[in-house]
Amino acid sequence: MVSFCRNLRNLAPNHFSSLFASTLPSPSTFSAYEVNDATESLCSILCFCLINVCPLATRPARSSQWNPWLNDTLRSLRTNLRAAEWKWRKTKDRGDQLKFHKLLSSFSASITDAKKAFYTDKILSSTDSQKLFSTFKTQLNPPSPPPTNNLSADTFASFFTDKVAAISKQITQLATPEHWLPQTSSSPTISSPTASFSSFSPLTENCVSKLLTCSRPTSCPLDPIPTKLLQAIAPTVATAVTHVINISLTSGTFSTSPKHAQVKPLLKKKPSLLPNHVENYRPISLLPFLSKIIEKVAFKQITEYLSLNCLLDPYQSGFKKGHSTETALLALTESLKEASATAKSSVLILLDLSAAFDTVNHGFHLSTLSSMGITEKAHAWFESYLTGRSFCVSWLGQSSTVHHLSTGVPQCSVLELLLFALYTTSLGEIIRSHDFSYHCYADNTQLYLSFPPDDHNVSARISNCLSDISKWMKSHHLQLNLSKTELPVIPAKPSIQHNISIQNDFLSLAPSKAVRNLGVVIDEHLTFKDHVASVACSCRFALYNI
């Protein structure tokens, strides 16, 4: 067996840059290209240069794992060791046997020292916690199970597509127009902003060059060249990339080719899940680097507009700078502790959605953007960005047929969380109309209500709130995952017992003693003993692997 690869280590960026500059059309010619023509021309020229400078080469497929700590000294010792072993097995001499065992002991000690030095240097050179965690993860986690052969790329593609289609069909059958919107005492609507965002601002070449070099070098099989190589020649390609970005934003058109994504199925992180069941996998979308660069520009400008006009939900931590799952959990637990300190009980409701990002309705979403003052070219750009998308699944070296998408926001994209947060902005008004508090992280919604221990109307208030939320979900083509919706009750005192249960036409909920929320186990008394026990169990598992 052979493998195909490019010798990128010996590729000189200066040589590639010179070839690209000589192949690219003149600035006057390239600046006249429209969005699709400019994007296709840029990608094809980059691919052409890579093929000429660094063509594909074949080499024997590696049968054993590559060990990065091996150096020339260790390879020389290994050669001498194999020669000594071969000589001893041939002569059966006692002296040759002792020499072989001596070399074996020396080689084993050298391997241990080399491994220790390699990982010590790797840990000390880790500049951030993400790289450090990745280093420990490769050492502490057992190897993943081998992929099963009874699944194909088309099987995954059909499953992902049929799942979204089934949810959309179910919502369409259940939601009749007269029951789409919740009937509450107040009519929550998005207030019309006084300002508007009609167009994006073009960028300069210096800004684009800086954006290219400072972005995270995430590569995708759909990229024409490796991202690190693109960053190395950023000053040369900045002019062409600047035109592609500016013509896309100013014309209100997102190029067609970056709308295609390659999906890789990833087994969910649960020990009990079997790898031969397609429903145990989640889709991970891989998008071109150029697409993410354009999205970053749009994300920065639209976020500045939304923040300046106070159009962002203050209780959404899904995409904001300085916000994370940690801030969402802190806001929740502090509110529950404050209620307990004032002798009030609390009820927490954790809502879970089924394929939330894949079922977003484009028509509703574009109407929401219009209500927030996003108009004209900017609105046309978002419409072009959302529509006309497609994907194919890559599995065990095979690709599925192309499937087209009519709903959803692009997963693993820069704008994914922002677009979903804007789509669900009006949900906060529904929740507040019932005097509930809430905090969200992406599609994870945490509702909580504090009340006096002698209040007997809590169950009715919860039922009414969830009923209106369910109607809002159906009107926006989202589906609550009832099997994963949980309801823990936090009493004001451990001695107080609350008999809270929800029974209605669409939901049946009973209080839970402990729930997992954003990776943290929350118990009914906020002691976090269950979470500490869970972390200790994980630590014992990691130590056992060592």
Side-chain angles (χ1 to χ4, degrees), residues 135-445:
T135 302
F136 277 105
K137 185 179 179 181
T138 56
Q139 293 304 300
L140 300 181
N141 278 3
S144 57
T148 178
N149 293 324
N150 65 336
L151 299 176
S152 64
D154 285 310
T155 303
F156 281 105
S158 300
F159 173 76
F160 296 144
T161 305
D162 294 343
K163 180 180 179 181
V164 176
I167 294 175
S168 300
K169 182 179 180 180
Q170 184 179 2
I171 293 174
T172 304
Q173 292 175 346
L174 293 178
T176 54
E178 61 269 19
H179 296 102
W180 271 7
L181 295 178
Q183 304 297 322
T184 57
S185 57
S186 60
S187 300
T189 56
I190 301 174
S191 57
S192 301
T194 56
S196 65
F197 186 86
S198 58
S199 62
F200 293 96
S201 301
L203 268 67
T204 62
E205 289 186 21
N206 291 334
C207 293
V208 172
S209 181
K210 184 178 179 181
L211 184 62
L212 287 173
T213 54
C214 295
S215 298
R216 184 182 174 188
T218 55
S219 290
C220 167
L222 302 175
D223 289 323
I225 64 174
T227 303
K228 290 187 177 180
L229 177 59
L230 182 67
Q231 291 177 326
I233 62 169
T236 305
V237 300
T239 303
V241 175
T242 301
H243 174 67
V244 171
I245 295 175
N246 289 340
I247 193 63
S248 173
L249 297 177
T250 56
S251 66
T253 305
F254 193 80
S255 183
T256 303
S257 56
K259 292 183 183 181
H260 181 72
Q262 186 179 90
V263 173
K264 285 194 172 183
L266 181 66
L267 187 65
K268 297 177 182 178
K269 294 182 179 179
K270 290 185 179 179
S272 59
L273 297 181
L274 298 176
N276 56 346
H277 291 267
V278 66
E279 62 272 11
N280 295 336
Y281 291 81
R282 61 166 55 93
I284 303 298
S285 298
L286 303 178
L287 297 171
F289 182 71
L290 181 60
S291 172
K292 295 185 177 181
I293 291 296
I294 302 175
E295 291 180 50
K296 282 187 176 181
V297 179
F299 177 86
K300 182 179 179 181
Q301 295 188 25
I302 197 66
T303 303
E304 290 176 353
Y305 163 76
L306 296 171
S307 301
L308 185 63
N309 293 277
C310 302
L311 296 173
L312 295 173
D313 192 338
Y315 303 107
Q316 170 65 257
S317 298
F319 62 94
K320 297 178 183 176
K321 186 178 181 180
H323 290 69
S324 62
T325 55
E326 183 179 353
T327 56
L329 287 166
L330 284 174
L332 172 66
T333 53
E334 287 301 311
S335 298
L336 296 178
K337 286 181 178 291
E338 288 178 6
S340 180
T342 56
K344 288 185 177 181
S345 299
S346 300
V347 60
L348 174 63
I349 307 172
L350 303 179
L351 302 180
D352 187 84
L353 303 179
S354 298
F357 294 94
D358 296 324
T359 57
V360 169
N361 184 278
H362 292 162
F364 293 160
H365 203 328
L366 294 172
S367 299
T368 302
L369 295 178
S370 298
S371 66
M372 294 182 171
I374 301 174
T375 59
E376 300 180 14
K377 292 294 185 181
H379 189 273
W381 187 88
F382 278 106
E383 182 178 3
S384 176
Y385 173 79
L386 289 172
T387 57
R389 289 192 165 268
S390 61
F391 77 95
C392 67
V393 175
S394 177
W395 178 254
L396 297 181
Q398 297 180 349
S399 295
S400 69
T401 56
V402 176
H403 289 248
H404 296 276
L405 302 172
S406 58
T407 60
V409 293
Q411 292 200 38
C412 302
S413 64
V414 177
L415 291 170
E416 174 191 14
L417 295 181
L418 174 62
L419 289 176
F420 186 80
L422 297 180
Y423 187 70
T424 56
T425 300
S426 58
L427 176 61
E429 300 184 24
I430 297 290
I431 298 172
R432 288 192 296 269
S433 67
H434 291 272
D435 294 328
F436 274 69
S437 301
Y438 71 96
H439 205 101
C440 303
Y441 185 85
D443 61 333
N444 182 286
T445 305

Side-chain angles (χ1 to χ4, degrees), residues 1-4 58-63:
M1 296 180 63
V2 298
S3 62
F4 296 88
T58 60
R59 66 179 181 185
R62 185 184 297 273
S63 58

